[in-house]
Amino acid sequence: MPRNFTNTLKANLIRTSVGESPIVLIEISNPLLSNPIRLVRDNKDVVSNGITYTACMFDVALPSEQEKEMPKATLAVDNVSRTLTRFFEQLQGGPDTSVRFIQILRSDPDVLEYDITLDLVNVSVTPFRVTGTLSFDNLANKQSVTRIYNKVTAPGLF
């Protein structure tokens, strides 16, 4: 998938001494949440496109590229405010939860340099961290057509 970065970010990516590093924002969404949980991996809050992202440390491990396996990444969020703990305990693990990753530059926070949404599965909550696996499983396992022809729906074909 091609990434159309701005010229400013392209210049920062190829420099050895970076003038400005991209900032990572995440939005944790679920149909049962009235508003997504919005976090920024930084030491101060950020406003992007009129939306405030709360400062919080989190780690993302990029997906491994194993043959014949769906790529998966991991997310670990510090459980400082206990907001995520309450959310996942109320939903018993948070089925249908998705995480949107956004990269921006602090100098121009309204330009989304990178934007992708993944499913959050296998959630684990401890008093210190909330961890989970990010994947495209729900999208990849969805039926692409409304009617499939098999022995049950079209016995005359088989």
Side-chain angles (χ1 to χ4, degrees):
M1 173 166 73
R3 297 180 184 168
N4 298 321
F5 296 131
T6 61
N7 290 336
T8 307
L9 183 60
K10 285 179 190 175
N12 282 338
L13 290 174
I14 60 173
R15 286 185 188 156
T16 54
S17 60
V18 179
E20 181 179 17
S21 296
I23 299 172
V24 178
L25 312 173
I26 60 171
E27 290 183 1
I28 301 172
S29 302
N30 188 288
L32 300 176
L33 281 174
S34 57
N35 291 318
I37 298 168
R38 295 182 173 102
L39 305 172
V40 57
R41 186 178 182 192
D42 202 9
N43 56 2
K44 54 185 169 177
D45 295 353
V46 171
V47 177
S48 175
N49 293 304
I51 299 170
T52 302
Y53 292 82
T54 306
C56 181
M57 288 309 296
F58 56 85
D59 296 315
V60 179
L62 297 175
S64 61
E65 295 185 19
Q66 300 291 329
E67 195 172 318
K68 297 181 183 180
E69 187 178 299
M70 183 75 67
K72 294 182 182 191
T74 58
L75 172 69
V77 180
D78 287 352
N79 196 10
V80 176
S81 70
R82 305 287 191 252
T83 304
L84 290 174
T85 303
R86 284 191 294 275
F87 166 68
F88 287 115
E89 284 175 350
Q90 289 172 351
L91 296 178
Q92 285 104 23
D96 300 324
T97 301
S98 63
V99 177
R100 180 180 177 201
F101 281 92
I102 304 166
Q103 277 187 332
I104 62 167
L105 293 173
R106 188 173 294 282
S107 62
D108 196 1
D110 293 335
V111 175
L112 305 182
E113 299 288 350
Y114 183 68
D115 188 353
I116 188 170
T117 303
L118 300 162
D119 299 316
L120 182 64
V121 295
N122 302 327
V123 176
S124 171
V125 179
T126 69
F128 305 106
R129 296 198 100 175
V130 175
T131 58
T133 304
L134 300 166
S135 70
F136 290 107
D137 281 347
N138 289 346
L139 179 64
N141 293 329
K142 283 186 180 176
Q143 188 172 314
S144 61
V145 294
T146 55
R147 170 163 272 173
I148 57 172
Y149 292 97
N150 57 27
K151 292 179 182 179
V152 175
T153 60
L157 292 176
F158 297 93

